Amino acid sequence: MKNPILVDFHCHLDLYPDFESIIEESERRGVRTLAVTTTPRAWPRNRDLTKKTKYVRSALGLHPQLVGESSNQELVLWEKYLPETRYIGEVGLDAGPRFFHTFQQQIHIFKRILQCCAATGDRILSIHSVRSVSSVLDLISENLPPDKGKVVLHWFTGSAEEADRAVKLGCYFSINTEMVQRPKGRRLIEKLPLERIITETDGPFTKLQTGITKPWDVEKVVEMIAMARGTTSDQISKAIVKNMKTLLR
Ligand code: MN
């Protein structure tokens, strides 16, 4: 059998020690990789390094964990670059204890991002929703009509009810190695509609026994999803490629 097509729909390529060589390696292996960013200041370099790549694409982000005093200026910069890309991320909300003090400001920024995406249209978003799924879904349903943008919930840790609501809203879910290794994540993976599943690494923030995950390690995620759902890697792999195509259409 020929090598399956791999999809890493959320990876921080610019946070690896050698950004350029990891892009080259993803290209060489043909891994469909979405290089997310955490600040619009990182955009020009990501954009330039992926101008001619065949498989690696860059996303314009403003990470909720980085929201703070200078965020309004960052938002101005984010809006300036928005016309340059179809891919948005990492954006979203984080109501975890370390970031809760900026939650109101995060909401202000995320809402503005969604409204800008709605105004521009044809955007694909990779969204962070730690301890804030219901707020994230509320903001999406109020500010981003389904025909204006598509949503991928990255590293989803919400409840089964929240997952149901997200499915009804049309969201996709990008699944990583950490999720498949935890009981809660596995339960989610067993139940999600197959046509909404895609893979990610969230590298370099996830690890395998072999070290920090790299985009091609999504092969492991595919295997683990197959195991959790009692099917073959080949089936899952085909579904993921099909889902990616639907998402990008
Ligand atoms: Mn991330």
Side-chain angles (χ1 to χ4, degrees):
M1 199 185 77
K2 80 179 174 40
N3 286 340
I5 293 171
L6 298 174
V7 179
D8 181 358
F9 212 74
H10 184 113
C11 187
H12 299 264
L13 293 186
D14 63 356
L15 301 182
Y16 286 79
D18 193 347
F19 183 19
E20 296 190 26
S21 72
I22 196 152
I23 291 176
E24 279 165 28
E25 185 67 9
S26 294
E27 281 288 294
R28 199 182 64 74
R29 295 173 182 250
V31 184
R32 278 60 171 173
T33 309
L34 186 63
V36 294
T37 55
T38 57
T39 157
R41 283 177 282 118
W43 173 251
R45 184 143 190 262
N46 276 266
R47 173 198 61 205
D48 292 347
L49 287 175
T50 55
K51 228 166 212 162
K52 292 190 175 132
T53 47
K54 191 167 175 201
Y55 302 114
V56 181
R57 300 278 183 274
S58 290
L60 174 63
L62 209 174
H63 200 294
Q65 293 177 346
L66 299 183
V67 166
E69 278 165 26
S70 59
S71 294
N72 284 331
Q73 286 150 269
E74 298 239 304
L75 190 56
V76 171
L77 197 56
W78 185 93
E79 287 183 34
K80 176 185 152 195
Y81 293 134
L82 177 61
E84 298 182 9
T85 181
R86 197 181 171 206
Y87 303 96
I88 305 305
E90 180 166 358
V91 294
L93 299 177
D94 192 316
R98 283 171 61 208
F99 307 104
F100 194 71
H101 66 288
T102 63
F103 196 62
Q104 288 313 314
Q105 203 185 350
Q106 291 176 40
I107 289 177
H108 163 75
I109 286 173
F110 184 49
K111 187 173 172 183
R112 178 76 192 158
I113 286 173
L114 293 170
Q115 290 171 342
C116 290
C117 289
T120 320
D122 192 35
R123 292 297 183 275
I124 297 162
L125 297 84
S126 182
I127 295 181
H128 179 108
S129 57
V130 170
R131 296 203 190 183
S132 56
V133 176
S134 60
S135 303
V136 164
L137 297 180
D138 287 346
L139 287 168
I140 291 169
S141 57
E142 288 157 13
N143 297 286
L144 184 68
D147 61 332
K148 296 293 182 186
K150 289 186 191 165
V151 167
V152 181
L153 296 173
H154 126 80
W155 200 334
F156 182 86
T157 52
S159 67
E161 293 72 26
E162 288 168 333
D164 282 345
R165 186 180 166 210
V167 168
K168 288 192 185 100
L169 269 176
C171 300
Y172 288 73
F173 296 77
S174 55
I175 311 290
N176 63 45
T177 50
E178 303 284 334
M179 292 169 75
V180 288
Q181 287 176 78
R182 293 175 194 182
K184 193 181 176 188
R186 264 203 309 276
R187 280 198 298 275
L188 173 79
I189 293 156
E190 285 164 16
K191 287 181 65 185
L192 283 177
L194 185 58
E195 66 274 14
R196 296 296 179 77
I197 291 177
I198 200 155
T199 41
E200 66 162 48
T201 56
D202 200 20
F205 300 111
T206 54
K207 263 190 251 153
L208 286 168
Q209 277 167 338
T210 46
I212 301 256
T213 44
K214 308 279 172 56
W216 43 96
D217 290 321
V218 289
E219 193 170 8
K220 278 265 165 289
V221 184
V222 171
E223 277 169 29
M224 288 156 119
I225 294 173
M227 237 188 305
R229 295 181 69 105
T231 179
T232 62
S233 296
D234 190 45
Q235 287 293 320
I236 296 297
S237 177
K238 281 183 182 142
I240 285 163
V241 172
K242 190 176 166 211
N243 296 347
M244 179 189 67
K245 286 181 180 163
T246 310
L247 185 58
L248 303 190
R249 194 156 55 208

